Amino acid sequence: MPDDDLESLPGVGPATADKLVEAGFESYQSIAVASPAELSNTADIGDSTASDIINAARKTADVGGFETGSAVLERRKQIGKLSWHIDEVDDMLGGGVETQSITEVYGEFGAGKSQVTHQLAVNVQLPTDVGGLRGSCIFIDSEDTFRPERIDDMVRGLPDEAIQATLDDREIEGSPGDEEAMEELVDSMLDKIHVAKAFNSNHQILLAQKAKEIASEHEDSEWPVRLLCVDSLTAHFRAEYVGRGELANRQQKLNKHLHDLMRVGNLYNSVVLVTNQVASNPDSYFGDPTQPIGGNILGHTSTFRMYLRKSKGDKRIVRLVDAPNLPDGEAVMRVQDGGLKPE
């Protein structure tokens, strides 16, 4: 049941309240940030009524007003930083991947995008004093990339101090060298990853809405959702909307999908991590012709854009391409059996 009494809003009776809750609008805040058309389609009400409901929710939830820069700074102190456990990358990101924002990781096939999603699905569960956010993960898999065996490898490949801190936090007796304790830890971590396979773009959009429901259910639990991964964001859209004639429709749906993901990050203080495919620009005569797909819609919506590039052997170059408050930069990491490692 929702914490807020939706029936106290003008025009919301028991039937409308049930429809709103069923669609994931369980609080004043979630209604306050919705559009009238979205609410109208969901609850089968007129646009005028939907606008009245949203305005009342905004007043009750105190959403939509201006605030001072000092207030914004104070609120940003609540933002968490999820560590890669690679100092060079974490320094480049100002301490790690931020909650309440979308971080896009793009690169060609085999660059290590899925390795990043798996590693952060492990790291997010670590205690905060060893770089984690002590939260669970939602993983939307559109390319059949999720492998529980890889999670096993990465848990065992964590630094000993991180493993010991996590064992203690979960009250598992043992040490990093204790096989029975490590098996229990791996099982415990896999239990905190909610995985769903997206079969097409419409299903992927539906799963993003379902992710909001899961995040809401776990908001006040011992393991709130602190990471939402989509691997990959664009694969189905790219395959289903082919040619220039479909471009506008594709971008419109992609934009809606991104805002659904962003809403989860904002409402539940979660990291939103999406991977993106690339294309080669034939007009590029100088430099790297690799470009992320998704166009300006994805470029503007992503708060942080990171480019992964293959190097020699297991080395990968991690480049911060765009960030609102950080300079561009590069770091080097290795993709090994035990996960992502420093150079």
Side-chain angles (χ1 to χ4, degrees):
M1 290 296 293
D3 294 330
D4 296 330
D5 180 15
L6 301 187
E7 291 181 41
S8 67
L9 296 172
V12 178
T16 303
D18 289 342
K19 287 180 181 178
L20 291 172
V21 171
E22 191 176 333
F25 296 101
E26 300 182 338
S27 65
Y28 297 141
Q29 187 175 9
S30 61
I31 293 173
V33 296
S35 67
E38 192 176 5
L39 219 60
S40 175
N41 293 333
T42 298
D44 194 24
I45 54 178
D47 287 344
S48 176
T49 304
S51 295
D52 291 341
I53 293 171
I54 289 170
N55 288 333
R58 285 175 178 170
K59 289 178 183 177
T60 308
D62 193 21
V63 171
F66 287 94
E67 56 188 348
T68 65
S70 299
V72 173
L73 179 62
E74 193 62 32
R75 182 162 45 80
R76 280 191 56 80
K77 291 178 182 177
Q78 306 302 315
I79 290 176
K81 299 272 191 174
L82 176 56
S83 172
W84 286 48
H85 274 250
I86 301 170
D87 290 344
E88 202 176 346
V89 176
D90 286 339
D91 290 345
M92 183 173 67
L93 289 172
V97 186
E98 282 192 3
T99 59
Q100 300 183 37
S101 62
I102 293 181
T103 298
E104 173 198 353
V105 176
Y106 68 90
E108 62 183 4
F109 173 79
K113 302 183 297 295
S114 296
Q115 302 295 323
V116 173
T117 59
H118 282 67
Q119 186 70 65
L120 293 188
V122 169
N123 293 0
V124 73
Q125 301 186 45
L126 303 179
T128 55
D129 57 351
V130 286
L133 296 175
R134 202 183 186 279
S136 58
C137 168
I138 296 174
F139 198 113
I140 298 175
D141 182 3
S142 70
E143 293 191 81
D144 193 26
T145 54
F146 182 78
R147 294 293 183 271
E149 300 87 353
R150 191 62 180 136
I151 298 294
D152 189 322
D153 293 340
M154 289 178 167
V155 172
R156 296 173 188 274
L158 288 168
D160 284 349
E161 63 271 18
I163 293 176
Q164 190 61 61
T166 309
L167 288 170
D168 294 342
D169 179 60
R170 300 187 184 213
E171 298 180 348
I172 299 173
E173 294 186 7
S175 63
D178 185 340
E179 180 57 29
E180 189 174 333
M182 290 304 298
E183 285 184 8
E184 186 176 348
L185 179 59
V186 170
D187 289 341
S188 174
M189 284 200 159
L190 285 170
D191 283 342
K192 303 293 185 297
I193 304 174
H194 310 271
V195 186
K197 185 174 179 181
F199 294 102
N200 53 51
S201 62
N202 286 328
H203 187 214
Q204 184 173 321
I205 290 169
L206 185 65
L207 288 175
Q209 295 166 357
K210 182 66 177 176
K212 181 175 176 292
E213 294 178 26
I214 295 173
S216 177
E217 290 169 8
H218 289 77
E219 184 177 12
D220 297 319
S221 71
E222 188 181 359
W223 291 95
V225 173
R226 288 289 179 257
L227 174 64
L228 170 56
C229 287
V230 184
D231 187 21
S232 90
L233 176 74
T234 49
H236 286 315
F237 291 92
R238 189 180 195 182
E240 294 167 25
Y241 297 90
V242 181
R244 289 188 178 275
E246 294 287 334
L247 183 60
N249 193 23
R250 183 189 82 174
Q251 293 302 89
Q252 187 177 21
K253 292 188 76 171
L254 184 60
N255 189 32
K256 167 74 166 59
H257 182 43
L258 282 164
H259 281 81
D260 286 342
L261 297 173
M262 191 65 188
R263 189 170 297 166
V264 176
N266 285 332
L267 289 178
Y268 304 105
N269 195 24
S270 303
V271 171
V272 180
L273 177 70
V274 301
T275 66
N276 188 14
Q277 296 183 345
V278 297
S280 185
N281 180 10
D283 297 329
S284 176
Y285 294 102
F286 303 100
D288 192 339
T290 304
Q291 291 184 334
I293 67 170
N296 291 330
I297 290 289
L298 183 51
H300 289 310
T301 311
S302 298
T303 316
F304 300 91
R305 303 194 90 179
M306 305 182 73
Y307 174 33
L308 291 187
R309 192 174 78 247
K310 294 179 184 176
S311 186
K312 293 182 179 178
D314 61 4
K315 281 187 179 181
R316 299 292 186 273
I317 310 299
V318 185
R319 180 189 298 169
L320 181 61
V321 176
D322 184 46
N325 60 328
L326 298 168
D328 295 352
E330 276 193 357
V332 181
M333 69 176 184
R334 293 181 181 272
V335 178
Q336 298 182 337
D337 290 343
L340 306 183
K341 302 294 181 184
E343 185 183 10

